[in-house]
Amino acid sequence: MNPLKKLFKQTAIYGLATVLPRMLSFILVPVYTAVMAPGLYGKVTVIFAWFAIFNIFLAYGMETAFFRFYSKSDRKETVVSTSLISILATTALFTLFGLLFQNGFANGLDMEVRYMRYVILILALDALVIIPFAWLRANERPMRYAVIKITNVAINLGLNLFFLLLLPKIAQGGGDGFLGSMYIPNFEISYIFISMLAASGVTLIMMMKLYIKTRYVFDFDLWKRMMKYAWPVLVAGIAFTINEVFDRILLENLLPPESAESEVGKYSACYKLGLFMTLFATAFRMGIEPFFFSHAGTENPQRAYARITDYFVILGSVILLTVVVFADVLKVLFVRDEAYWEAMDIVPLIILASFFLGIYHNLSVWYKVTDKTRYGAFISVIGAIITIGINYFFIPVIGYMASAIATVLAYGSMMVLSYYLGRTRYPVPYNFRKIIFYLSISVLFSALSFYVFHRNMMVGGILLALFLGLVYKLENDKLKQIFWKRPA
């Protein structure tokens, strides 16, 4: 099969599996915003931000290190067993100390202790499936990967709907049976975490096969080499997560206390409308990472990397303009409470920031395949500094708009830095005339539609049709070669 066609096929499957868990948070926005006021929803999103940060520490770059060493090692079983033992040991230590000192952790994070217990257990369960999921991707088993991810989403979604929508109705209807007795007023956040805990537990059970069949051998020398490769990934992951979620924490702490959680809730709800670009970029990354490593030793892999980036920018430009044009339709569908719509002005900025991040991930191939992950750490740290700096100085002045602007500038800087540092260390013949052309046109049309013509659907539709026509005229033949051309 054409390698690019295979890549897009696997990306579609991984995309479904990756999109659905992220879509879960998107699908649940109407539910959460219907049953929770902006202030309570803001509290939930801040806890989710801490989830993301702790997830990075518990993974400590081992997933990326696993990919790298598994793909080039002739002792793959040893790589698997060493990785599993490492994750098992660190997760056990985290769980032990987390539960022993949960009161201190809760006070330090300004979180109720009852929520802290859920956070610790969910984080531990999620950490234990990092290597099994990486193993499925490394062995190109996207269907199995997708089934498990979809099961996780189904359980989590089903329980959320049951606890937050159905159970209160049963209780209000005078239900005095078992289901009626399960309902606890003002227990929404705990119900959310119970749903996550159940889904994560089932996921681990479905992934236990790798733990059971592995012959455990711990290669200390291999582990040291993996950790040497992984620590820059950990630093990059921390910095990246700061870019992605730390703005919620800063908003909560830098805005006036009486309005902070409400403002965080509005910002977070409208931020979700940028998820369409995030989903596309994440799905694409899930497909290209194994592709990058498996094709690094082929003849002239840089040419394939450049073509992949071209197609990513073309498709991403279409998604950017489409979401911006239909933003008002999407807000009615997914953020139904008008109290949240005040933050709609951040939407184009968040979508553009996610687009920059996706381009950055494509450009980052140079330091991943050359084992120079320290550059990834450096680039992400620069982005984190920009994020923290702009948020710290400007949130008190312009509120959550500072967070949106910081996100665009951070990811844009990372994108530019990655290209600049990689052009001499691992030259890839990117077609920057094409990339800049499509990116500029989509950004221009988006700005006109959203800010100049004030989200007028007719004007936006015309601009979108013009852009789609342009893409069809210039790229029709090339896209057909990937998606429809059959092998001879």
Side-chain angles (χ1 to χ4, degrees):
M1 180 183 290
N2 181 327
L4 287 179
K5 187 172 183 178
K6 181 180 180 182
L7 167 65
F8 280 101
K9 180 180 178 181
Q10 291 197 359
T11 296
I13 300 174
Y14 284 127
L16 175 65
T18 306
V19 163
L20 284 175
R22 286 183 172 258
M23 275 297 290
L24 174 66
S25 64
F26 191 48
I27 294 169
L28 288 172
V29 168
V31 177
Y32 292 164
T33 54
V35 302
M36 292 185 281
L40 189 58
Y41 181 61
K43 181 182 292 187
V44 172
T45 58
V46 171
I47 297 175
F48 283 165
W50 285 117
F51 260 114
I53 292 170
F54 278 109
N55 271 327
I56 296 299
F57 281 102
L58 286 172
Y60 53 88
M62 186 55 71
E63 179 184 27
T64 304
F66 175 85
F67 272 125
R68 183 58 174 161
F69 284 83
Y70 187 86
S71 64
K72 53 189 263 191
S73 175
D74 55 359
R75 296 189 304 139
K76 297 187 185 301
E77 290 187 2
T78 304
V79 175
V80 173
S81 64
T82 300
S83 302
L84 287 176
I85 291 171
S86 181
I87 288 289
L88 278 167
T90 53
T91 303
L93 287 172
F94 166 78
T95 306
L96 176 63
F97 283 100
L99 293 175
L100 284 176
F101 302 104
Q102 58 184 295
N103 290 337
F105 281 125
N107 289 333
L109 301 179
D110 193 24
M111 188 187 306
E112 294 182 37
V113 175
R114 56 175 173 161
Y115 301 149
M116 193 71 231
R117 297 190 196 105
Y118 290 124
V119 169
I120 292 167
L121 294 175
I122 294 167
L123 286 169
L125 291 174
D126 289 346
L128 292 175
V129 297
I130 290 171
I131 299 303
F133 273 127
W135 183 87
L136 289 176
R137 290 174 59 199
N139 285 276
E140 298 186 352
R141 298 190 180 180
M143 289 303 299
R144 173 71 175 166
Y145 182 97
V147 167
I148 296 173
K149 286 284 188 178
I150 292 169
T151 302
N152 177 286
V153 170
I155 293 171
N156 201 345
L157 176 60
L159 289 176
N160 266 280
L161 295 177
F162 171 73
F163 285 129
L164 298 178
L165 297 182
L166 181 60
L167 193 59
K169 290 183 178 179
I170 294 174
Q172 291 169 5
D176 55 359
F178 173 72
L179 291 179
S181 66
M182 289 176 61
Y183 177 69
I184 304 174
N186 303 316
F187 204 64
E188 290 88 357
I189 296 179
S190 292
Y191 282 141
I192 292 169
F193 291 146
I194 290 170
S195 302
M196 294 174 64
L197 185 63
S200 296
V202 172
T203 299
L204 177 59
I205 292 171
M206 296 179 71
M207 301 296 281
M208 285 299 294
K209 183 177 180 181
L210 184 63
Y211 281 100
I212 294 171
K213 74 174 187 179
T214 297
R215 296 178 60 186
Y216 288 96
V217 176
F218 188 75
D219 187 327
F220 187 68
D221 289 333
L222 170 64
W223 182 79
K224 286 194 297 183
R225 285 185 281 121
M226 293 181 75
M227 289 305 298
K228 182 179 179 181
Y229 183 90
W231 78 260
V233 179
L234 169 60
V235 174
I238 294 169
F240 170 76
T241 306
I242 288 174
N243 292 328
E244 190 172 21
V245 302
F246 204 62
D247 51 2
R248 279 74 153 184
I249 297 169
L250 290 172
L251 283 167
E252 184 187 41
N253 287 278
L254 295 175
L255 289 173
E258 63 274 10
S259 63
E261 288 183 345
S262 177
E263 294 296 283
V264 174
K266 296 171 186 175
Y267 173 78
S268 300
C270 291
Y271 194 105
K272 293 293 185 183
L273 296 182
L275 194 63
F276 290 99
M277 181 64 75
T278 303
L279 296 176
F280 165 66
T282 303
F284 208 89
R285 180 173 62 84
M286 296 291 284
I288 64 173
E289 279 188 345
F291 181 88
F292 283 162
F293 290 127
S294 63
H295 284 73
T298 61
E299 183 179 353
N300 194 16
Q302 292 95 327
R303 182 181 176 188
Y305 299 157
R307 290 181 65 195
I308 289 169
T309 303
D310 285 349
Y311 299 128
F312 176 85
V313 171
I314 293 168
L315 295 173
S317 296
V318 172
I319 292 171
L320 168 64
L321 183 55
T322 302
V323 176
V324 169
V325 168
F326 293 104
D328 278 343
V329 176
L330 295 173
K331 80 177 182 185
V332 174
L333 292 174
F334 295 101
V335 188
R336 296 178 183 176
D337 189 340
E338 294 184 17
Y340 290 86
W341 293 354
E342 177 187 309
M344 278 298 293
D345 281 349
I346 71 166
V347 172
L349 297 176
I350 297 303
I351 301 169
L352 180 60
S354 298
F355 193 14
F356 285 163
L357 179 62
I359 297 173
Y360 163 74
H361 281 306
N362 279 268
L363 299 179
S364 69
V365 58
W366 69 270
Y367 68 74
K368 291 181 179 178
V369 301
T370 58
D371 294 348
K372 295 178 180 178
T373 51
R374 64 185 182 277
Y375 285 102
F378 168 75
I379 293 168
S380 295
V381 167
I382 295 297
I385 292 171
I386 293 171
T387 295
I388 293 173
I390 294 176
N391 275 287
Y392 182 80
F393 288 108
F394 291 101
I395 281 176
V397 181
I398 57 175
Y400 48 65
M401 282 303 295
S403 298
I405 293 169
T407 306
V408 173
L409 294 179
Y411 291 149
S413 300
M414 290 168 60
M415 175 182 68
V416 173
L417 265 176
S418 184
Y419 167 69
Y420 179 79
L421 293 173
R423 63 179 182 174
T424 56
R425 293 168 177 83
Y426 190 81
V428 177
Y430 295 113
N431 188 343
F432 271 97
R433 291 182 62 184
K434 176 181 289 190
I435 290 172
I436 293 172
F437 173 75
Y438 283 114
L439 180 60
S440 300
I441 296 296
S442 65
V443 169
L444 174 63
F445 282 7
S446 297
L448 289 173
S449 173
F450 198 92
Y451 296 113
V452 177
F453 291 99
H454 306 290
R455 310 202 287 263
N456 183 289
M457 290 285 292
M458 181 174 294
V459 173
I462 292 171
L463 292 173
L464 178 59
L466 286 173
F467 189 73
L468 291 173
L470 183 66
V471 171
Y472 180 83
K473 180 175 177 61
L474 297 179
E475 307 295 336
N476 181 44
D477 293 339
K478 294 176 183 177
L479 292 174
K480 278 184 177 180
Q481 289 178 4
I482 293 178
F483 296 106
W484 291 287
K485 184 179 179 180
R486 296 183 179 274

